[in-house]
Amino acid sequence: MSAAWFRRRFLPGAALPSPRPPGPRASPVPYRRPRFLRGPGPGPGPADASSRRPEARPVRSPARGRALPWNAGYAEIINAEKSEFNEDQASCGKLCIRRCELESEDQEWLMLCPEELLTGHYWALFDGHGGPAAAILAANTLHSCLRRQLEAVVEGLLTPQPPMHLSGRCVCPSDPQFVEEKGIRAEDLVIGALESAFQECDEVIGRELEVSGQVGGCTALVAVSLQGKLYVANAGDSRAILVRKDEVRPLSFEFTPETERQRIQQLALVYPELLAGEFTRLEFPRRLKGDDLGQKVLFRDHHMSGWSYKRVEKADLKYPLIHGQGRQARLLGTLAVSRGLGDHQLRVLDTNIQLKPFLLSIPQVTVLDMDQLALQEEDVVVMATDGLWDVLSNEQVARLVRSFLPGNREDPHRFSELAQKLILSTQGTDGSAPGVSYDDISVFVIPLHSQSQGGRGP
Amino acid sequence: MSAAWFRRRFLPGAALPSPRPPGPRASPVPYRRPRFLRGPGPGPGPADASSRRPEARPVRSPARGRALPWNAGYAEIINAEKSEFNEDQASCGKLCIRRCELESEDQEWLMLCPEELLTGHYWALFDGHGGPAAAILAANTLHSCLRRQLEAVVEGLLTPQPPMHLSGRCVCPSDPQFVEEKGIRAEDLVIGALESAFQECDEVIGRELEVSGQVGGCTALVAVSLQGKLYVANAGDSRAILVRKDEVRPLSFEFTPETERQRIQQLALVYPELLAGEFTRLEFPRRLKGDDLGQKVLFRDHHMSGWSYKRVEKADLKYPLIHGQGRQARLLGTLAVSRGLGDHQLRVLDTNIQLKPFLLSIPQVTVLDMDQLALQEEDVVVMATDGLWDVLSNEQVARLVRSFLPGNREDPHRFSELAQKLILSTQGTDGSAPGVSYDDISVFVIPLHSQSQGGRGP
């Protein structure tokens, strides 16, 4: 992406992207649930709401005996008629990184017999909005983008310190020292590959939605195990936490119009054309009205993390770029998240004002070095879409994990049972949570202890 | 500041700011040391290097009996002939906030008899570069800017939750609820006032340097006590830490080309004209050369916190926007800090490429709620310019604090003695630190315990 590209794509005078391809429209992305939910439904486990309370929405898990990577657990619930479909999607699987490109004469031979260099695992949650298509595309695509990006740098992953030149050729004798001084490690290449994979996936989704004439976007939360480390990449408002006996550690950070206010206001400062004269960049505690004119009211601009007062002018009465707070905060009155995939065609209702220039597809990545953790048997990572966290705090989830797992050590399905139990705690049935969620919810529970050693490459 | 202003000021085609004013040049800002160092020199305390080692550079402190606010300690050392002057400056004092502007009929009466509403204290360190003038101007000016900014919002500071309208008028009955929902507290107004004061001071410095024909810039680190809270505002690479018996807490974060790489690369993406075709936005572990052409080398762009490989093109051989690492990292090959005051005229050597568009004058502000801390007698804040932290870690400073204070409880001058001791530990004389600093160093040691209650307003 360059500034020239951005201006051509988003600023006035730019040719608008054609809403439909010139050729015949491709068939729409078909709706589906995750592959691992197919087959017989969830067993009648103790936490299976559908068997106990016929009036409740069913909580679905993989069938007993259908093991996910690392014996992870999964459960999901569809929203209370917010839309016809479950807009959440999930995927997981093994990640096989092969040597795909070598710049030596061995290349042809290696292409014929690709060598598997690294093996990892992958769990991903996508929370769709504006329709299920983007989340389905992301669930179908992101792992392939990631594999491709990792294969492009795999030679650099095989030593703790990547070489300056991917070929290993040493142009300058001090190259290892320069790389050392920058503190660049193999894990930085995985972080870079995740960042690039999210961008690539976003481009694929943009193209696919355009040719199928569909719309929509989704958040993305991905956990990847590779070489003894767990990488958590997040773009949106899903969340992953590590729960241990004596510790609860956030592994992701939510990206909403509220948490990214300064970045978004800064962009509107640089390109005021993006607001088309309809919105004000400034933040106020509420939308201003005529009676406020001439008064000094609380406000914040792009450079402020504190608040100050300004005298209200007529331009301040416009609708704010970011409005509302907490779960109600909206970007351009439209969207509750500021990072994710898709939304290439999304516009403010009844206007031509685009949301996409304000959205980032880049995730933030955190790294958990499992070898340094002295993992205990019941250490797990809990990943869930925002519907869970709207109702349960990190500490409440940790309490549920700690109370459930010790009593269910023998059940191989226990991590899916736990995922179900977490979802049921948001349905107002057991009195353990202060609220009720009517949203789609998807949950992975990933046990770290016994599997963390098995996820290494050869 | 607006985008249009930025483009007019910094982009090609803009009228260059005239280097000199049309009228006669004002006299240069006179060099000086802090006011509180005047009078008799430091007493021959045990930590006074100048009395013990005649060949060493002298460490200066306020005279015994000259108390700074809260009985804070101070010491400084001039660099080892890096420049003729000590480019560090310091100031401290009482901060009296008056009601300066009311929009009622009482205004005239109040202007005649301004009411002192709040009292606080203020300690500031400025580390100059390119000459001492900017640091001197900042030491002379910033506290006045801060007082003015606080006075402009003082009515909002007098209740825990500021009113939506500064006048207290309630246009919308739910205004208190809107402010409550945004979580806006009086401390957010102080943060906003600090942010505005730094900007205002930067503008004053720009004007003053222009009329006096001088150049230069400085970092700024400020601690302000107000209403039981300590605010630490930082723009640059100085540092403040809280040292307690069982805790060392950073109160600031350094802003360098390395820590602000993504912001700086992002600006170069939006306004590539700022690099005038001479620099590359991309980061590489070292400067590339002809032999690297066509190879795949490690690189990072604005959106990446990880690293990846790219095939080297001719444009990549340009000098990098940010080059080097750690203390050696430089912005445009010129500057080691990315935030601060001044530098309005600074250009890359022998070019017309300006540094100022990449610099921010906005500080990051942290807040220490002293009432919540259960302060102990030897809890202190240590503020120092980068020369100290180049040699001593936070933990090493904390060890020196904890070993010195308990043995010197009776000496009223003990916090200046401690500041001297910290500086001496960087001079390679006592073997306690791994390195030696040849830089200017200035240190405040602020005791929190007994004084924190006395700093409140009436």
Side-chain angles (χ1 to χ4, degrees):
Chain A
M1 194 190 87
S2 71
W5 174 89
F6 186 93
R7 287 182 188 137
R8 274 197 309 276
R9 170 77 176 81
F10 293 120
L11 297 193
L16 284 175
S18 58
R20 290 187 196 179
R25 182 180 288 192
S27 39
V29 180
Y31 178 72
R32 65 154 180 85
R33 297 313 306 146
R35 199 180 303 262
F36 53 73
L37 286 183
R38 292 175 203 165
D48 184 355
S50 59
S51 59
R52 282 188 322 197
R53 298 176 51 247
E55 81 282 8
R57 293 171 282 141
V59 177
R60 299 192 65 201
S61 278
R64 280 187 172 271
R66 177 151 207 167
L68 304 187
W70 291 15
N71 195 32
Y74 175 82
E76 63 170 47
I77 190 170
I78 193 172
N79 63 79
E81 297 175 2
K82 192 182 77 168
S83 75
E84 190 184 345
F85 300 107
N86 186 341
E87 291 183 333
D88 282 3
Q89 291 290 340
S91 65
C92 61
K94 196 171 167 185
L95 204 59
C96 300
I97 314 303
R98 297 186 168 83
R99 190 192 300 264
C100 71
E101 186 188 345
L102 268 191
E103 297 178 48
S104 74
E105 291 168 2
D106 299 331
Q107 186 166 8
E108 197 182 345
W109 183 85
L110 283 163
M111 291 298 279
L112 291 169
C113 305
E115 185 188 351
E116 192 168 305
L117 288 176
L118 282 174
T119 310
H121 289 92
Y122 169 95
W123 301 262
L125 295 177
F126 306 96
D127 184 349
H129 52 256
I136 295 169
L137 284 167
N140 292 347
T141 311
L142 183 55
H143 55 280
S144 309
C145 300
L146 179 59
R147 186 174 48 75
R148 203 160 32 241
Q149 294 290 343
L150 286 169
E151 287 181 347
V153 300
V154 68
E155 280 83 10
L157 290 174
L158 299 178
T159 48
Q161 181 185 297
M164 172 80 185
H165 289 81
L166 188 56
S167 64
R169 196 185 142 198
C170 205
V171 166
C172 170
S174 306
D175 276 350
Q177 193 186 327
F178 284 114
V179 174
E180 171 79 31
E181 281 173 6
K182 284 272 180 193
I184 307 171
R185 295 149 305 170
E187 71 178 62
D188 294 306
L189 294 185
V190 181
I191 295 170
L194 278 159
E195 292 170 332
S196 301
F198 273 59
Q199 284 193 286
E200 186 189 334
C201 184
D202 184 54
E203 288 161 21
V204 171
I205 290 173
R207 284 195 301 271
E208 296 281 323
L209 289 182
E210 194 180 347
V211 297
S212 68
Q214 290 174 289
V215 296
C218 67
T219 69
L221 173 64
V222 174
V224 175
S225 74
L226 206 66
Q227 299 176 298
K229 290 183 175 143
L230 191 79
Y231 299 83
V232 176
N234 184 45
D237 61 354
S238 296
R239 188 187 297 172
I241 63 173
L242 169 69
V243 179
R244 312 186 69 194
K245 200 177 166 194
D246 305 311
E247 186 190 6
V248 184
R249 191 191 303 182
L251 299 178
S252 66
F253 176 79
E254 280 97 85
F255 295 101
T256 69
E258 207 172 29
T259 65
E260 295 209 278
R261 173 184 58 84
Q262 287 187 270
R263 175 181 72 73
I264 292 165
Q265 287 182 317
Q266 178 73 32
L267 190 70
L269 170 83
V270 173
Y271 299 117
E273 309 91 320
L274 296 174
L275 304 183
E278 301 284 342
F279 288 83
T280 168
R281 181 181 80 226
L282 303 182
E283 183 189 18
F284 303 99
R286 63 164 163 78
R287 185 165 182 192
L288 302 183
K289 37 193 182 180
D291 285 354
D292 296 307
L293 271 172
Q295 298 280 311
K296 281 188 175 171
V297 304
L298 285 165
F299 88 106
R300 275 201 293 197
D301 200 356
H302 69 100
H303 61 279
M304 300 164 72
S305 61
W307 287 80
S308 192
Y309 286 93
K310 86 173 293 267
R311 200 174 292 281
V312 178
E313 303 159 40
K314 211 171 158 203
D316 301 324
L317 305 188
K318 293 177 182 172
Y319 199 85
L321 170 59
I322 297 166
H323 189 55
Q325 45 272 341
R327 310 302 309 180
Q328 273 67 52
R330 290 291 178 279
L331 173 61
L332 290 164
T334 305
L335 201 58
V337 288
S338 57
R339 296 204 190 188
L341 308 173
D343 289 320
H344 293 73
Q345 302 291 339
L346 185 61
R347 284 167 162 75
V348 178
L349 194 67
D350 295 331
T351 77
N352 204 25
I353 299 170
Q354 301 177 76
L355 275 287
K356 190 65 175 171
F358 295 98
L359 305 178
L360 280 189
S361 57
I362 315 282
Q364 192 189 51
V365 184
T366 58
V367 186
L368 199 62
D369 189 339
M370 291 183 287
D371 293 343
Q372 302 295 317
L373 275 184
L375 286 166
Q376 303 287 308
E377 186 166 347
E378 273 143 13
D379 293 348
V380 296
V381 168
V382 177
M383 294 167 62
T385 49
D386 64 325
L388 186 85
W389 310 105
D390 283 352
V391 176
L392 296 176
S393 68
N394 294 2
E395 286 296 340
Q396 285 170 317
V397 167
R399 271 200 295 277
L400 287 162
V401 169
R402 289 172 191 144
S403 71
F404 179 83
L405 287 180
N408 292 273
R409 288 217 169 106
E410 305 310 316
D411 182 358
H413 200 61
R414 63 183 179 146
F415 297 107
S416 282
E417 301 281 357
L418 173 55
Q420 290 177 23
K421 194 175 166 58
L422 290 172
I423 290 179
L424 286 170
S425 300
T426 66
Q427 301 301 302
T429 52
D430 64 355
S432 65
V436 176
S437 175
Y438 299 100
D439 201 359
D440 301 318
I441 301 179
S442 309
V443 180
F444 274 119
V445 178
I446 307 171
L448 298 184
H449 181 244
S450 52
Q451 288 81 6
S452 61
Q453 300 302 311
R456 310 294 180 81
Chain B
M1 194 190 87
S2 72
W5 175 87
F6 187 93
R7 288 181 187 137
R8 273 199 309 278
R9 170 77 175 81
F10 292 121
L11 297 193
L16 285 173
S18 57
R20 292 187 195 180
R25 183 181 286 194
S27 40
V29 181
Y31 179 73
R32 66 155 179 85
R33 298 312 307 147
R35 199 180 303 261
F36 53 71
L37 287 182
R38 293 175 203 166
D48 184 355
S50 58
S51 59
R52 283 191 319 200
R53 300 175 51 249
E55 80 282 9
R57 293 172 281 143
V59 178
R60 299 191 64 200
S61 278
R64 281 187 171 271
R66 175 150 208 169
L68 305 188
W70 290 16
N71 195 32
Y74 175 82
E76 63 169 48
I77 190 170
I78 193 172
N79 64 79
E81 297 175 1
K82 191 182 80 167
S83 75
E84 190 183 348
F85 299 108
N86 187 340
E87 291 183 333
D88 282 2
Q89 290 291 340
S91 65
C92 62
K94 197 171 167 184
L95 202 60
C96 300
I97 315 301
R98 295 186 169 82
R99 190 190 302 264
C100 71
E101 187 189 344
L102 268 191
E103 299 179 47
S104 73
E105 292 169 0
D106 299 330
Q107 186 167 8
E108 196 182 348
W109 182 85
L110 283 164
M111 291 298 278
L112 291 168
C113 305
E115 185 188 350
E116 191 168 305
L117 288 178
L118 283 175
T119 310
H121 289 93
Y122 169 94
W123 302 261
L125 295 177
F126 307 96
D127 184 348
H129 52 255
I136 295 169
L137 284 166
N140 292 348
T141 310
L142 183 55
H143 55 279
S144 308
C145 299
L146 178 60
R147 185 174 49 74
R148 203 159 34 240
Q149 294 291 345
L150 286 169
E151 286 180 347
V153 299
V154 68
E155 280 83 10
L157 289 174
L158 299 178
T159 50
Q161 180 185 298
M164 171 80 186
H165 289 81
L166 188 56
S167 66
R169 197 186 141 197
C170 206
V171 165
C172 169
S174 306
D175 276 351
Q177 194 187 326
F178 284 114
V179 174
E180 171 79 30
E181 282 172 4
K182 284 270 180 196
I184 307 171
R185 296 150 302 172
E187 71 179 63
D188 294 305
L189 294 184
V190 181
I191 296 171
L194 277 160
E195 293 170 331
S196 302
F198 272 60
Q199 284 192 285
E200 185 188 334
C201 183
D202 184 54
E203 287 159 22
V204 170
I205 289 172
R207 284 195 301 271
E208 295 282 323
L209 290 183
E210 194 179 348
V211 298
S212 67
Q214 289 174 290
V215 294
C218 66
T219 69
L221 172 64
V222 174
V224 175
S225 74
L226 207 65
Q227 297 176 299
K229 291 184 176 142
L230 191 78
Y231 298 82
V232 176
N234 185 45
D237 61 355
S238 296
R239 187 187 299 172
I241 63 174
L242 170 68
V243 179
R244 312 184 69 194
K245 201 178 164 193
D246 304 310
E247 184 190 7
V248 184
R249 190 190 305 183
L251 298 177
S252 66
F253 176 80
E254 280 98 81
F255 294 101
T256 69
E258 208 172 27
T259 66
E260 293 210 279
R261 173 185 59 83
Q262 288 187 270
R263 174 181 72 73
I264 292 165
Q265 287 183 316
Q266 178 73 31
L267 191 70
L269 170 83
V270 173
Y271 299 116
E273 311 91 320
L274 295 173
L275 304 184
E278 302 282 341
F279 288 83
T280 168
R281 182 182 81 225
L282 304 181
E283 183 189 18
F284 303 98
R286 62 164 164 78
R287 185 166 182 191
L288 301 184
K289 38 193 182 180
D291 286 352
D292 296 307
L293 270 173
Q295 299 279 312
K296 281 189 174 172
V297 304
L298 286 165
F299 88 107
R300 274 202 293 198
D301 200 355
H302 69 98
H303 61 279
M304 302 163 71
S305 61
W307 287 80
S308 191
Y309 287 94
K310 87 173 292 266
R311 200 175 291 280
V312 178
E313 301 158 42
K314 210 170 158 204
D316 300 325
L317 305 188
K318 294 175 181 175
Y319 200 85
L321 171 58
I322 297 166
H323 189 55
Q325 46 273 338
R327 309 303 309 179
Q328 273 68 51
R330 291 290 179 279
L331 173 61
L332 292 164
T334 305
L335 201 57
V337 289
S338 57
R339 296 203 190 190
L341 309 172
D343 289 319
H344 293 72
Q345 302 291 338
L346 185 61
R347 284 169 164 75
V348 177
L349 194 66
D350 294 331
T351 76
N352 204 25
I353 300 171
Q354 301 177 75
L355 276 288
K356 189 65 174 171
F358 294 98
L359 305 178
L360 280 189
S361 59
I362 315 281
Q364 192 190 49
V365 184
T366 57
V367 186
L368 198 64
D369 188 339
M370 292 183 287
D371 293 344
Q372 302 297 316
L373 275 183
L375 287 166
Q376 303 289 307
E377 186 165 347
E378 274 143 15
D379 293 347
V380 296
V381 167
V382 178
M383 295 167 60
T385 50
D386 65 324
L388 187 84
W389 309 105
D390 284 351
V391 176
L392 295 176
S393 69
N394 294 2
E395 285 298 337
Q396 285 171 318
V397 166
R399 272 200 294 278
L400 286 162
V401 168
R402 289 171 189 147
S403 71
F404 180 84
L405 287 179
N408 292 272
R409 288 218 169 104
E410 305 310 316
D411 183 359
H413 200 62
R414 64 182 178 146
F415 297 107
S416 282
E417 301 281 359
L418 172 55
Q420 291 176 23
K421 191 174 168 58
L422 290 172
I423 289 179
L424 287 170
S425 300
T426 66
Q427 301 301 302
T429 53
D430 63 357
S432 66
V436 177
S437 175
Y438 298 101
D439 200 359
D440 301 319
I441 300 178
S442 309
V443 179
F444 273 119
V445 178
I446 308 171
L448 299 183
H449 181 243
S450 52
Q451 288 81 6
S452 61
Q453 300 304 309
R456 311 294 180 80

